Amino acid sequence: MRIAKFSIAGEVRFGLVDGPELVVFKGHPLFSGYETTGERVSLKDVQLLPPTLPTSKVVCIGKNYADHAAEMGGEAPKEPLIFLKPTTSLIGNGETIVLPAISERVDHEGELAIVIGDVAKNVSEADALDFVWGFTIANDVTARDIQDRDGQWTRAKGFDTFCPLGPWIETEFEVDGQTLETRVDGELRQHASVDLLIHKVPRIIAHVSEAMTLLPGDVILTGTPAGIGRIESGQVVEISIEGIGTLTNTVA
Ligand code: MG
């Protein structure tokens, strides 16, 4: 099932993606179930929003593909390396990534994102997938020069619009055997199997929930493969994961 969050005529709603249309849910599907109003709207008539609500935090995993750790000039960490992006960095499919004037080098990082569906604290790897609502696609946009300057990553990865998320949540996604691709103006920049995640999804959830309580709607970005690169004003970034779809954003 593909679940989208969208705005239409000033109202925020959730809908079931059915081909080129959305079937509108009565309420928030995570809390009030999958009953629909029967109303259908065209996907092209709505603005898609980051497909979570509420989101108390966006947790990110750093250097979780060996080839990306190598291109950053280091080794992959033995434990999942955690950092946070503020919720004010979230934007939806079709919205614009705004380059901050104080950075001269902003990069894309295409990533598989986990959406949490239930309160998770100290969960085991064996139980971890029971706490997943679904999966979506994220861009962990990064001001690389500021990341290098600060040492800490919060500012470099925390600018407004630096967390495109969407286009929707796929609740039946199977991680195994899927491919992630990032294109900038149609040019292929990243191409990797998500099987190459060093720390797998259950391990990530167990590890994060050991430190902090995960709440419904929280998002975990699982890390980016090799091929990160600069994005510039006027470009279009497309991140695709087989079985989910394509997240498209422009840069300005
Ligand atoms: Mg990243």
Side-chain angles (χ1 to χ4, degrees):
M1 188 183 336
R2 289 182 172 171
I3 297 165
K5 181 182 163 196
F6 60 96
S7 68
I8 186 164
E11 265 192 83
V12 174
R13 307 296 297 271
F14 282 82
L16 175 69
V17 181
D18 183 21
E21 292 183 324
L22 290 160
V23 189
V24 180
F25 285 120
K26 278 195 170 163
H28 189 306
L30 190 55
F31 305 115
S32 48
Y34 297 122
E35 198 180 346
T36 68
T37 63
E39 182 190 356
R40 285 177 170 265
V41 293
S42 171
L43 265 169
K44 61 178 173 9
D45 292 338
V46 305
Q47 170 63 57
L48 290 175
L49 301 171
T52 66
L53 180 77
T55 300
S56 72
K57 55 193 167 293
V58 178
V59 185
C60 306
I61 307 299
K63 298 181 182 174
N64 199 22
Y65 288 81
D67 57 358
H68 171 63
E71 77 178 347
M72 296 300 288
E75 287 186 9
K78 290 204 167 40
E79 287 187 301
L81 174 65
I82 298 174
F83 60 94
L84 297 171
K85 280 167 101 80
T87 52
T88 41
S89 65
L90 285 165
I91 57 172
N93 183 71
E95 295 192 277
T96 301
I97 300 164
V98 180
L99 301 175
I102 58 168
S103 172
E104 287 172 5
R105 165 76 193 247
V106 175
D107 286 356
H108 61 79
E109 294 189 2
E111 309 198 7
L112 172 69
I114 306 162
V115 182
I116 297 295
D118 207 348
V119 178
K121 178 63 183 170
N122 284 324
V123 303
S124 67
E125 286 186 48
D127 294 338
L129 293 180
D130 295 344
F131 296 83
V132 174
W133 188 26
F135 291 85
T136 187
I137 303 167
N139 190 348
D140 176 18
V141 180
T142 303
R144 199 67 67 192
D145 49 351
I146 292 175
Q147 185 183 29
D148 292 342
R149 228 156 61 213
D150 284 1
Q152 298 284 330
W153 300 357
T154 304
R155 185 167 65 132
K157 289 172 174 283
F159 286 94
D160 290 358
T161 75
F162 269 28
C163 193
L165 193 78
W168 41 63
I169 294 166
E170 173 55 76
T171 60
E172 282 145 51
F173 179 72
E174 297 285 344
V175 175
D176 292 351
Q178 309 291 1
T179 299
L180 180 154
E181 290 185 334
T182 303
R183 287 184 171 76
V184 177
D185 283 349
E187 177 201 336
L188 187 64
R189 295 269 188 95
Q190 296 185 287
H191 174 93
S193 167
V194 292
D195 293 343
L196 295 174
L197 283 172
I198 295 167
H199 302 293
K200 310 295 186 200
V201 169
R203 167 90 179 111
I204 290 169
I205 294 168
H207 183 78
V208 174
S209 80
E210 203 170 53
M212 61 191 81
T213 302
L214 290 165
L215 301 177
D218 281 355
V219 179
I220 306 177
L221 276 52
T222 58
T224 199
I228 56 162
R230 185 172 189 163
I231 50 175
E232 294 177 73
S233 185
Q235 291 185 317
V236 176
V237 187
E238 294 167 287
I239 305 169
S240 301
I241 297 179
E242 283 177 307
I244 301 178
T246 301
L247 171 66
T248 305
N249 298 94
T250 49
V251 184

